[in-house]
Amino acid sequence: MRHQEQLKMGTITTLDEPIIDTVMRDLNQVRDKLKVVLMPLGQENQNSVIQKLRDWDLWGPLLVCLLLSIVLSITAPGDTASLVFAAVFVIVWVGAAAVTLNAQLLGGTISFFQSVSILGYCVFPLTLSAIGCLVMSFIYKNIIIKSILTAIGFVWSTRVFMVQVIKEERRTLAVYPVFFFYIFIGWMILLQ
């Protein structure tokens, strides 16, 4: 029996494996979920995307949030870098929790942590936009280019997977806070 199969069956635990195996397995799962978020699939494959993202973890969203916080704090003026880092970090996690709570109250069919995980992974395109804006600011400072990069990241991020787990008559109520959450993050990127 392979090690992965033994883990799933419960005959072996992660305490019995070397640390490097655990870390590499988790990083591979994060990589696979980031690929799912970055590579849009057709409607026929949307259910497989949701199933992949329902296997939640918080490592990927944590890494994405840390990367976004670092990128935005690099461009912070003067000694406000730590304040910007903390503000971005708190806004991402509290915002994801608030959007998730809203979805739960509207009768969502996924768990709290699944929703936070999906929202966290979906911040990754905006993080790439922030990196693009940072690089572009060294080459050519133009708000139009930053706006275009941020808009692309926003559109990519808001391909909401959560929409399919909310009842049809309540989807608008669930999607509005998601758009607001990503618009706020996009606005922080534009202000960098």
Side-chain angles (χ1 to χ4, degrees):
M1 210 183 295
R2 283 191 31 217
H3 188 69
Q4 292 293 348
E5 293 170 1
Q6 290 174 335
L7 280 172
K8 286 183 181 179
M9 292 180 56
T11 58
I12 189 171
T13 64
T14 56
L15 295 176
D16 298 331
E17 70 180 353
I19 294 172
I20 190 72
D21 291 346
T22 305
V23 170
M24 291 309 295
R25 183 181 28 133
D26 290 344
L27 288 176
N28 287 332
Q29 288 176 350
V30 169
R31 182 198 66 218
D32 291 344
K33 290 177 185 167
L34 288 175
K35 277 186 193 177
V36 166
V37 168
L38 287 177
M39 296 182 198
L41 301 172
Q43 286 292 5
E44 64 278 352
N45 293 328
Q46 197 71 8
N47 287 333
S48 65
V49 168
I50 291 173
Q51 282 307 115
K52 181 85 169 167
L53 290 175
R54 277 191 174 195
D55 183 20
W56 65 272
D57 69 275
L58 297 178
W59 286 113
L62 175 65
L63 294 174
V64 169
C65 180
L66 286 173
L67 182 61
L68 179 63
S69 298
I70 290 168
V71 168
L72 293 181
S73 67
I74 287 173
T75 59
D79 59 347
T80 62
S82 61
L83 179 64
V84 169
F85 181 92
V88 170
F89 192 83
V90 168
I91 287 168
V92 168
W93 287 104
V94 171
V99 169
T100 298
L101 182 62
N102 179 55
Q104 292 294 314
L105 292 174
L106 291 172
T109 59
I110 61 175
S111 75
F112 181 84
F113 289 115
Q114 286 172 332
S115 180
V116 169
S117 178
I118 290 171
L119 287 167
Y121 275 109
C122 289
V123 170
F124 189 60
L126 280 168
T127 303
L128 292 179
S129 293
I131 293 169
C133 289
L134 177 66
V135 170
M136 289 304 295
S137 70
F138 292 122
I139 299 169
Y140 184 68
K141 292 187 181 199
N142 189 342
I143 190 68
I144 295 172
I145 293 174
K146 283 176 73 171
S147 298
I148 291 170
L149 286 173
T150 305
I152 291 170
F154 171 77
V155 168
W156 215 276
S157 290
T158 54
R159 294 180 310 107
V160 181
F161 301 110
M162 270 180 46
V163 171
Q164 293 192 1
V165 297
I166 303 290
K167 294 176 185 172
E168 183 78 35
E169 64 272 4
R170 295 184 177 176
R171 282 191 184 163
T172 305
L173 293 173
V175 170
Y176 173 73
V178 173
F179 282 135
F180 183 69
F181 175 63
Y182 290 127
I183 283 174
F184 194 78
I185 293 173
W187 186 251
M188 288 189 301
I189 293 169
L190 280 177
L191 293 178
Q192 77 173 352

